[in-house]
Amino acid sequence: MMAESSKPVAATGLRGKLRRHEPMARHTSWRVGGPADRCFEPADIEDLAAYLRQLPADEPVLWVGLGSNLLVRDGGLRGSVILTGGVLDGIERPGDTIIKFGAGVPCAKVARHCANAGLAGAEFLVGIPGTMGGALAMNAGAFGGETWSLVSAVETMDCQGRVRLRQTTDYRVAYRSVQGPANEWFIAAHLRLRPGDVNAGVARIRELLARRSETQPTGVASCGSVFRNPPGDFAGRLIESCGLKGHCIGGACVSEKHANFIVNAGRATAADIEALIVHVRESVERERGVRLEPEVHIVGEREPAPEQVTHD
Ligand SMILES: Cc1cc2nc3c(=O)[nH]c(=O)nc-3n(C[C@H](O)[C@H](O)[C@H](O)COP(=O)(O)OP(=O)(O)OC[C@H]3O[C@@H](n4cnc5c(N)ncnc54)[C@H](O)[C@@H]3O)c2cc1C
């Protein structure tokens, strides 16, 4: 068990919102997760840089967009969470076919903005319920499109609040995986689009949303696909073939509609969800000989920090 990271964080001169012991269940699409020691929602880029500069050098920092690919354990997170969703939301057009999106812009807005500007290529982002920054971190993709196939450059911030413009060659990008310089996070993406037609873009968006609602559970708390597809196969097909659709542990259930989704059926804890992930993984490995790798990022402590434990 780790104690709360209690080193002093000066928090002077900040304009954003700094909350202590903030339940991460409020910031994840699974609606589970214990408290973060500190949760900072910056007012803007300068405010964010000022916050990062004030942190002790060994403060753990986790950037969170819309928490749509994140399982935060019930004991919460030590250190600082930086919330970008709803902030870092600037949109600029530095070139005819290049648009710069702040890391906090929702993917759906990226898709619609490009389509309405008569630029093609970003339509697939419309149904991905995360931010531009989260899409960069995950190389999010759907219906044959992938985030990094659009990226011409990214802007990053390091733990000293320094901003850099980086080229795609600074990153190793693969299916749902991106590796780049350590201790740097995305603050903006420059996307290169193709000239297109507004009506065709809007129609394509409508079509992709319809296809999604036919095949995926909507209106329930989930994190999208839990496991990456193994080479040449589909995680959902393998899980379904093991008879796991509808299997529940506590309040966490494998979706009846799409076997690679785990839904919070009401009162799930992060421990329920993680136990179900382990169960699915072990079942598929035992019965089909395939070891599935989680796509969702699992973070945080299983137990609360000692100061948070309450006694009846
Ligand atoms: C219903 C549903 C459907 C989904 N469908 C798809 C789909 O079709 N395709 C797909 O790829 N995904 C899908 N997802 C998963 C998820 O939406 C994507 O992975 C998305 O890109 C995550 O974005 P986010 O802002 O929510 O990131 P978060 O969940 O907040 O964070 C995910 C990871 O990215 C890191 N991160 C976030 N922001 C930054 C930043 N600015 N800089 C550096 N690191 C950062 C976090 O630390 C974390 O490790 C779906 C999820 C749901 C709930």
Side-chain angles (χ1 to χ4, degrees):
M1 186 186 295
M2 275 178 72
E4 176 184 351
S5 157
S6 56
K7 294 160 225 103
V9 170
T12 47
L14 298 172
R15 289 170 289 117
K17 292 183 201 133
L18 179 62
R19 303 187 193 93
R20 289 171 200 277
H21 308 302
E22 172 73 358
M24 288 304 293
R26 292 184 187 153
H27 303 287
T28 59
S29 60
W30 254 324
R31 302 278 168 254
V32 300
D37 292 347
R38 285 169 281 282
C39 192
F40 186 57
E41 199 176 331
D44 52 32
I45 293 279
E46 291 75 30
D47 198 38
L48 174 54
Y51 181 74
L52 292 172
R53 272 196 297 271
Q54 293 182 17
L55 293 178
D58 59 350
E59 171 92 344
V61 176
L62 181 78
W63 285 42
V64 173
L66 290 171
S68 64
N69 207 42
L70 211 51
L71 178 61
V72 179
R73 293 192 175 107
D74 301 309
L77 289 160
R78 308 292 74 85
S80 286
V81 164
I82 306 294
L83 292 180
T84 64
V87 285
L88 308 188
D89 56 356
I91 302 178
E92 294 166 33
R93 192 166 178 175
D96 272 0
T97 56
I98 296 194
I99 305 195
K100 171 180 159 179
F101 292 98
V105 178
C107 290
K109 190 168 178 181
V110 174
R112 290 184 198 284
H113 186 93
C114 294
N116 289 330
L119 295 172
E123 298 88 349
F124 71 89
L125 285 169
V126 73
I128 299 180
T131 58
M132 185 73 251
L136 288 172
M138 299 303 306
N139 190 21
F143 302 112
E146 271 194 346
T147 301
W148 279 79
S149 67
L150 302 176
V151 174
S152 70
V154 293
E155 292 177 28
T156 66
M157 183 174 281
D158 69 13
C159 43
Q160 288 301 311
R162 282 179 297 242
V163 172
R164 287 186 184 82
L165 180 69
R166 285 204 177 269
Q167 305 308 312
T168 53
T169 45
D170 292 332
Y171 295 86
R172 276 181 46 203
V173 176
Y175 165 63
R176 303 293 177 271
S177 149
V178 178
Q179 289 175 322
N183 296 319
E184 273 184 34
W185 301 276
F186 300 111
I187 56 171
H190 297 229
L191 302 188
R192 186 188 302 280
L193 292 312
R194 301 188 307 276
D197 172 72
V198 174
N199 291 334
V202 171
R204 173 92 177 128
I205 281 178
R206 206 176 302 125
E207 178 207 331
L208 293 182
L209 285 174
R211 276 168 69 183
R212 196 175 270 272
S213 67
E214 273 164 27
T215 54
Q216 296 181 1
T218 49
V220 282
S222 83
C223 237
S225 294
V226 172
F227 296 99
R228 296 184 166 95
N229 288 323
D233 209 337
F234 293 97
R237 191 198 71 78
L238 289 163
I239 297 165
E240 187 173 351
S241 76
C242 295
L244 289 167
K245 268 190 169 177
H247 186 88
C248 300
I249 294 183
C253 299
V254 175
S255 164
E256 295 278 5
K257 198 164 180 185
H258 190 314
N260 199 16
F261 277 49
I262 288 178
V263 300
N264 178 349
R267 300 211 163 178
T269 60
D272 293 339
I273 294 172
E274 194 170 2
L276 189 53
I277 290 173
V278 170
H279 177 74
V280 167
R281 198 178 191 201
E282 287 176 353
S283 303
V284 171
E285 188 164 19
R286 190 175 54 246
E287 294 183 30
R288 297 288 172 262
V290 178
R291 189 164 173 79
L292 294 177
E293 294 301 332
E295 178 179 321
V296 296
H297 289 188
I298 304 176
V299 294
E301 307 297 322
R302 291 198 165 82
E303 305 291 334
E307 295 89 318
Q308 290 164 225
V309 176
T310 54
H311 299 280
D312 295 330

